[in-house]
Amino acid sequence: MTTPAAPAPRIPEAVHRRRWAILGVLMLSLLIVVLDNSILNVAIKTISTPAPMGLGATQSELEWAINAYTLVFAGLLFTAGLIGDRVGRKKVLLGGLVVFGIGSALAAESGSPGQLIAFRALMALGAAFVMPATLAVLMNVFEREEQPKAIGIWAGGVGLAIAIGPITGGVLLDHFWWGSVFLINVPIVLLALALMVWLVPDSRDPRPGRLDPVGVVLSVVGLVLLVYGIIKGGELADFTDPQVLATIGAGVLILAAFVVFEKRSDHPSLDVSYFKNKVFSAAMAAIALVFFALMGVTFFSVFYTQSVRGYSPLQSGLLMLPLAAAQMIFAPRARLVVDRFGHKATTGGGLVLLAGMLAAFAGFEADTPIWVLEVVFFLMGTGMAHVMTPTSVVIMQALPREKAGSASALSNTFRQVGGALGIAVLGSVLSTAYRNGIEGSLSLLPAGLRDAAGESIESTLGVAAKLGPRGKGLVGPANDAFLHAMHVTALCGTVVALLGALVVFLFLPGKPPARKEGEEEQQLVAAAE
């Protein structure tokens, strides 16, 4: 039996030689997009304080400042991936970075919560073209056998952004005004643009799909209505309100129409046929559910550390370091765990670990030793690293290299939609539980003031500060109500993470059988062909 010849490399030698430098530039672009959200998480409390220190944003406005970005980002990723496949990923990357930089500069000068929400949406328009293109370029500069390692390093870049974001945000808020957390993006964008022009090669799909404007409109409108209804229900502490039910129902119906339209279209932005593959679908579900749980917890943990525990924005950012460090350490190494134990055990184990750490939040009190929080954050990051890397590899390798933009867009869409729904649903659970818990302590306040004070812990503490000595009696009940609301929300996140683990254990592949000598090389050749 003759040994098969080694497959010819698909990547030009000049590109292959500088592939790691290209990965560095791609990670810088990714850093900007992820950094923005991780910085904003630390700045939430500052933005919620009245002018001139902040914008006086309510909890629902804060949720929209996050979700305006997320929804536009998620809604346009399909089309952004297709445009990158059609006109060239490098061109799309450059254009996306320019728009993101302009949006960041405008957001820094926002004069009201409404302006901030609008400019965050503009930033998302640029980010939607950056995120899928980074992963698509990666798939086109690395040979297949190096792709899992490169994707692991790419996923570790998310951990780096999570680490840098809160610390950078804390330092900026200690020395400058709140808008500096957005203005910091501008010099990073300029550096990334210069390096990208110099290093990154262009690539495109030789047979790109047609654009799907109807699908894009249906997906964005459906998601916005669904998330708006969920946030409104939390704001009113009443999900049976006719306006809430009508908005959520309309969102669900439009999203159903989107799926039907995509299934019948000959040029869908979301190819529903991909989801016939159970492994692909399970990996997508795992990514969506892990971000659903994580984004909701990140949202309330900022108020726990700053409002209840009294830490500054910088200290709060430093407390997030263990979560980021764990992702940076374990994301690039997760492929080795997959090689030994398989996708099912690695990803499922990561989700079970994440669920356990979310459940730990249900036991946190105002005087819980801070080292316990640090251990929980580190183990959360460890769990995430063993979910993100394996699922990203499964998703990206499930489709042909030419469709890398579409695969990346799908992966990021499910991640962003999961995160948006996590903030909306778990944020609404937090808001509803808090309002119900604090209501009895606000009974002596005037009706209008009582309603405003009950929306969030920051609103209650703001009213207490205005009342002077008479308001001191509200601080203790506000902390107690928030802790109860946090416990309820953490348990909801736990259930979601366990649901993700169940999907993974049912549908992701286990450890492949041991290969006979020479078989591995033949399989690599077959895969490359």
Side-chain angles (χ1 to χ4, degrees):
M1 179 178 171
T2 57
T3 304
R10 296 187 177 189
I11 311 299
E13 180 58 30
V15 173
H16 182 73
R17 279 200 307 269
R18 63 177 191 268
R19 64 195 185 284
W20 297 110
I22 292 169
L23 178 61
V25 179
L26 296 176
M27 286 178 64
L28 181 62
S29 305
L30 175 73
L31 180 76
I32 302 165
V33 174
V34 180
L35 180 78
D36 180 70
N37 266 338
S38 58
I39 280 184
L40 182 60
N41 285 333
V42 174
I44 282 173
K45 181 177 180 292
T46 305
I47 295 171
S48 70
T49 57
M53 183 176 287
L55 291 175
T58 64
Q59 182 156 316
S60 60
E61 286 170 335
L62 289 173
E63 289 176 35
W64 273 113
I66 297 171
N67 279 336
Y69 182 94
T70 304
L71 289 173
V72 172
F73 188 28
L76 293 177
L77 277 169
F78 297 137
T79 298
L82 283 172
I83 291 174
D85 290 343
R86 176 184 288 269
V87 306
R89 284 107 187 198
K90 180 175 181 176
K91 298 183 186 72
V92 160
L93 263 172
L94 293 170
L97 282 171
V98 169
V99 173
F100 185 85
I102 293 170
S104 297
L106 292 172
E109 298 299 326
S110 299
S112 68
Q115 286 184 8
L116 178 61
I117 291 166
F119 293 137
R120 290 272 298 159
L122 179 62
M123 292 168 66
L125 173 63
F129 286 87
V130 173
M131 189 69 132
T134 59
L135 204 46
V137 171
L138 182 154
M139 298 299 286
N140 280 274
V141 298
F142 284 91
E143 296 290 354
R144 187 177 180 86
E145 60 271 17
E146 280 190 323
Q147 286 173 5
K149 181 179 180 181
I151 290 174
I153 295 170
W154 180 88
V158 175
L160 180 64
I162 291 173
I164 293 173
I167 297 169
T168 306
V171 170
L172 290 170
L173 291 172
D174 272 2
H175 295 90
F176 304 101
W177 92 116
W178 65 265
S180 60
V181 301
F182 298 110
L183 199 60
I184 190 66
N185 293 332
V186 176
I188 304 175
V189 164
L190 293 174
L191 175 62
L193 285 170
L195 290 173
M196 200 168 292
V197 169
W198 177 34
L199 283 172
V200 175
D202 207 356
S203 62
R204 68 183 74 195
D205 184 350
R207 294 184 298 278
R210 286 159 56 198
L211 299 183
D212 177 26
V214 175
V216 172
V217 171
L218 287 174
S219 64
V220 173
V221 172
L223 282 170
V224 168
L225 286 173
L226 176 63
V227 172
Y228 177 81
I230 294 169
I231 291 175
K232 192 67 179 176
E235 186 182 334
L236 299 173
D238 181 11
F239 283 89
T240 62
D241 181 86
Q243 182 188 354
V244 172
L245 290 175
T247 309
I248 292 175
V252 171
L253 285 174
I254 292 173
L255 288 175
F258 166 70
V259 172
V260 172
F261 180 83
E262 296 300 283
K263 198 171 181 179
R264 294 179 177 175
S265 174
D266 59 356
H267 58 285
S269 53
L270 170 61
D271 193 336
V272 182
S273 65
Y274 295 155
F275 293 91
K276 292 178 181 176
N277 182 329
K278 289 181 180 179
V279 172
F280 182 85
S281 297
M284 285 293 192
I287 274 191
L289 291 172
V290 76
F291 272 83
F292 182 104
L294 185 82
M295 291 298 285
V297 170
T298 304
F299 187 75
F300 71 63
S301 67
V302 172
F303 289 101
Y304 173 67
T305 55
Q306 293 186 37
S307 299
V308 177
R309 301 299 295 258
Y311 288 101
S312 70
L314 176 57
Q315 290 169 328
S316 183
L318 290 170
L319 289 175
M320 296 288 288
L321 265 179
L323 188 150
Q327 283 202 59
M328 290 171 63
I329 293 167
F330 294 111
R333 293 170 174 78
R335 64 190 173 84
L336 304 176
V337 183
V338 171
D339 289 343
R340 180 158 186 176
F341 298 105
H343 284 92
K344 187 194 297 280
T346 304
T347 309
L351 279 161
V352 169
L353 178 59
L354 180 62
M357 294 308 101
L358 292 173
F361 271 96
F364 280 16
E365 300 295 342
D367 58 354
T368 299
I370 205 65
W371 67 263
V372 177
L373 178 66
E374 297 299 85
V375 170
V376 166
F377 275 149
F378 183 82
L379 293 176
M380 281 178 69
T382 303
M384 274 198 70
H386 289 89
V387 175
M388 283 180 61
T389 301
T391 50
S392 295
V393 172
V394 166
I395 291 164
M396 294 305 294
Q397 294 192 341
L399 301 182
R401 186 195 296 265
E402 293 76 19
K403 301 296 180 185
S406 300
S408 176
L410 274 171
S411 171
N412 283 296
T413 297
F414 272 68
R415 183 180 302 171
Q416 294 300 322
V417 169
L421 290 175
I423 291 169
V425 173
L426 296 184
S428 295
V429 170
L430 183 74
S431 182
T432 303
Y434 180 79
R435 186 182 286 275
N436 291 337
I438 197 66
E439 221 162 21
S441 303
L442 303 176
S443 56
L444 298 178
L445 296 177
L449 198 58
R450 187 190 318 144
D451 189 57
E455 189 170 286
S456 68
I457 185 171
E458 277 306 302
S459 301
T460 308
L461 295 178
V463 168
K466 287 179 183 175
L467 292 174
R470 289 187 302 134
K472 286 186 178 178
L474 289 176
V475 175
N479 286 342
D480 292 341
F482 178 82
L483 287 169
H484 170 70
M486 183 179 80
H487 297 162
V488 172
T489 308
L491 290 176
C492 291
T494 302
V495 171
V496 171
L498 288 175
L499 179 62
L502 178 64
V503 169
V504 163
F505 284 127
L506 286 175
F507 298 112
L508 277 195
K511 184 181 179 183
R515 298 187 179 104
K516 296 177 182 178
E517 190 176 349
E519 191 176 331
E520 184 172 351
E521 185 181 353
Q522 291 177 29
Q523 289 191 4
L524 268 176
V525 173
E529 292 172 348

